[in-house]
Amino acid sequence: MARQLWTPWNWFSDGKNVKMCVSKTLRGLVAIVLVVTGGVSVLSAKESAESRSQKRVLIIGMDGTRPDALAKAKTPTFDRLIKEGAFTDNANILGERYQKNDTISGPGWSSILTGVWADKHGVHDNNFKGKNYELFPHFFKRLKRERPDAKTASLVSWAPIHEFILSEADIAEVFPLPRGKNQTADLRVSADKLDINTHDGKWHHLVATRKQGQLKLYLDGRLIGSLEGVDLEFPLGGDFYYLGRDSRSGATGFNGQLDDIRLWKRALTEAEIAQAASQMSPTNRQGLLAEYLFQGELNDSAGHSKGPFPAQPLTENATVRYARHISDTELNRIDFAPTGEKTHGLRIPLNDSLRDLTRGDFTIEARFMTTDKGRNILLGNYDGKAGALNLELHEGNSVRVYFQPPDPKNAGALEREGIRDQQIAAKAAQILREEDPTALFVYFHQTDATGHAIGFSPEVPEYVKAIENIDARVNTVLKAMQSRPNYANEDWLTIVCTDHGGLKRSHSNGLKVPEIRRVFLIVHGPSAQPGPIPKQAYLVDVTGTALTHLLGKVDPKWQLDGKAVGLEPQE
Ligand SMILES: [Zn+2]
């Protein structure tokens, strides 16, 4: 087909109200009926260009999606596309000729977006060394060389697609993962506020409570500080809770004496806290999970008396008399840190009820006596990653409660992947409503992220749910497409694809792994030939199909490995 036929003819820009109807049965013969307000205009030489200019492509890429999980997921949008369009659940991510690249996203999206295998595009893994996009470019570049009027847009969350593969995009946006809420609560208050010297060598009483999302600190029975919005619920992490330190060893261990330590599954009232500060035993013991009184002596397993806490490091599994761990059947038993490792303080094995301390309301309390002006951890289990709750004295005569959800930097990462996919879908919808794209690539990532975090399998509910989420995102995009004012006259081809499957939590080295190599392909639109795709389909066919639809044919000089699949036969 001659190139000048594809030059732009902006017949909408002259302000006429023009409608074009393409007869489906006669399509391919370029039969076009134009109805112009006030009369019928007859086209001749430009009919083909007309028809061509309305050929458009939407490519939905969903990273790391297995076809068997797609089949299991409840996906009304994909179901409709599959029913109305062409489909295979047996496409392959590696071709016959060349299989030396890894089965990961770098080579995968390169093959999808260039239409050639890794021996040509040169990308074998995610470091993109050897890339040869000069000779085998992104299909946007092929499109623009043939149809200079074409508008292209690419929306991704995996940056290397734009950094390395993409070229000739009029709109390109990489979406970062939205930041998680900082749900670590760090309440640190100077005791100067209450004219109390915490390191005067006298007994003091420190309490932290959480009630309905409000974290409060009490020193010697008086409220000294509070923090709102501390509503996250999580289990305490690690294997132990510690007295006189946290999960780390080092200089922050408590230097002094501790007593009357209690962990509660409810927020004590101010009256109860005042009572505890005056060293009275609690009258209402409801919700008391653990209590360490140390009125007596510490004895190791051999029965040696070691004096009041903090004792010298004792042998492991020593028994502390009078230290009651109420939720245990063995009421008196707690462990000491093994000698030679983390020798300071006591460690309490975290059972299920203690782990749940940080779900819902709680109270942690301790009496202390020290002359140390530095940081002194009274209780805690902080290790940087696990769900943690520390009660501390700090420099500057301050008291502190520190409350941290597990792995705070990654907290809610998969949900945030879902939010990011929503942002991408919203942007794609906006482009479809407000711009005039010829080719639009929209990439979703929650599937791959969920596969790596939990598992690539139809048996993993989160993975299946991620596919269902993307189905809803695609619905958003397609609705925007269908609401385009000229939609009836546009010939949109929607291709849904993925770069690989996965097994367990990985998809590398998948040459001999069907769960990784086998993928699906959907081709939908007026130009699609409905039904199963009869030929063996491959990743490279996405570009082969897109360019065939957009240009009518592909130039053999491009040496594409991909062919058109799922399209009605050309004239
Ligand atoms: Zn991956």
Side-chain angles (χ1 to χ4, degrees), residues 55 80 140 159 235 245 303 324 345 389 503 506 513 529 563:
K55 301 274 188 188
R80 179 174 70 78
F140 282 1
R245 50 171 284 207
R324 300 207 297 157
L389 180 62
L503 186 63
S506 173
V513 187
Q529 186 170 48
K563 61 189 177 297

Side-chain angles (χ1 to χ4, degrees), residues 60-65 93 109 112 496-500 519-520 539:
I60 303 286
M62 42 197 298
D63 204 299
T65 306
I93 69 166
W109 292 111
I112 288 170
V496 187
C497 62
T498 183
D499 56 338
H500 51 70
V519 291
F520 67 92
L539 292 193

Side-chain angles (χ1 to χ4, degrees), residues 62 65-76 78-79 447 458 460-461 463-471:
M62 42 197 298
T65 306
R66 275 176 58 163
D68 51 356
L70 175 67
K72 180 156 183 179
K74 292 192 176 64
T75 52
F78 292 141
D79 291 353
T447 36
V460 171
Y463 182 65
V464 172
K465 179 68 182 161
I467 296 172
E468 293 171 352
N469 291 342
I470 293 175
D471 185 79

Side-chain angles (χ1 to χ4, degrees), residues 73-151:
K74 292 192 176 64
T75 52
T77 306
F78 292 141
D79 291 353
R80 179 174 70 78
L81 297 182
I82 290 168
K83 192 173 161 221
E84 296 173 358
F87 176 68
T88 177
D89 63 357
N90 193 28
N92 207 313
I93 69 166
L94 292 172
E96 300 294 322
R97 187 189 67 240
Y98 189 81
Q99 308 186 325
K100 287 184 184 158
N101 55 289
D102 200 356
T103 50
I104 56 177
S105 290
W109 292 111
S110 293
S111 295
I112 288 170
L113 295 168
T114 64
V116 299
W117 293 118
D119 55 343
K120 292 180 185 168
H121 64 60
V123 176
H124 287 73
D125 51 39
N126 287 350
N127 70 26
F128 287 82
K129 274 183 197 150
K131 62 185 188 297
N132 192 15
Y133 301 124
E134 292 299 316
L135 275 180
F136 300 98
H138 191 289
F139 80 93
F140 282 1
K141 192 166 180 176
R142 303 284 190 209
L143 169 65
K144 288 238 179 185
R145 291 298 134 87
E146 302 301 323
R147 285 176 55 182
D149 60 315
K151 293 280 178 283

Side-chain angles (χ1 to χ4, degrees), residues 399-508:
V399 291
R400 180 193 203 193
V401 57
Y402 187 84
F403 172 89
Q404 182 188 276
D407 201 4
K409 284 201 186 112
N410 292 319
L414 293 179
E415 287 142 47
R416 286 186 278 134
E417 289 279 358
I419 292 167
R420 172 159 68 171
D421 284 351
Q422 281 180 22
Q423 293 169 347
I424 290 173
K427 181 69 182 185
Q430 187 197 348
I431 290 171
L432 284 164
R433 281 193 306 266
E434 298 174 6
E435 310 284 340
D436 199 20
T438 311
L440 174 58
F441 176 65
V442 184
Y443 168 94
F444 296 113
H445 187 247
Q446 198 185 23
T447 36
D448 189 66
T450 307
H452 285 294
I454 307 173
F456 293 88
S457 165
E459 307 307 319
V460 171
E462 293 88 345
Y463 182 65
V464 172
K465 179 68 182 161
I467 296 172
E468 293 171 352
N469 291 342
I470 293 175
D471 185 79
R473 303 295 86 80
V474 173
N475 187 44
T476 300
V477 177
L478 293 181
K479 273 188 168 167
M481 178 201 283
Q482 288 152 17
S483 73
R484 290 172 59 77
N486 197 36
Y487 175 69
N489 302 321
E490 293 170 347
D491 184 1
W492 279 96
L493 191 73
T494 299
I495 302 173
V496 187
C497 62
T498 183
D499 56 338
H500 51 70
L503 186 63
K504 293 175 181 166
R505 297 202 286 173
S506 173
H507 50 75
S508 295

Side-chain angles (χ1 to χ4, degrees), residues 271-316:
E272 286 175 313
I273 290 165
Q275 199 178 24
S278 60
Q279 301 186 41
M280 290 162 64
S281 290
T283 45
N284 176 5
R285 300 176 70 82
Q286 192 196 340
L288 184 58
L289 293 177
E291 181 177 42
Y292 306 97
L293 299 176
F294 312 113
Q295 289 135 321
E297 295 177 330
L298 302 179
N299 295 280
D300 68 13
S301 51
H304 302 128
S305 171
K306 294 288 181 181
F309 181 83
Q312 294 299 308
L314 302 183
T315 53
E316 205 168 354

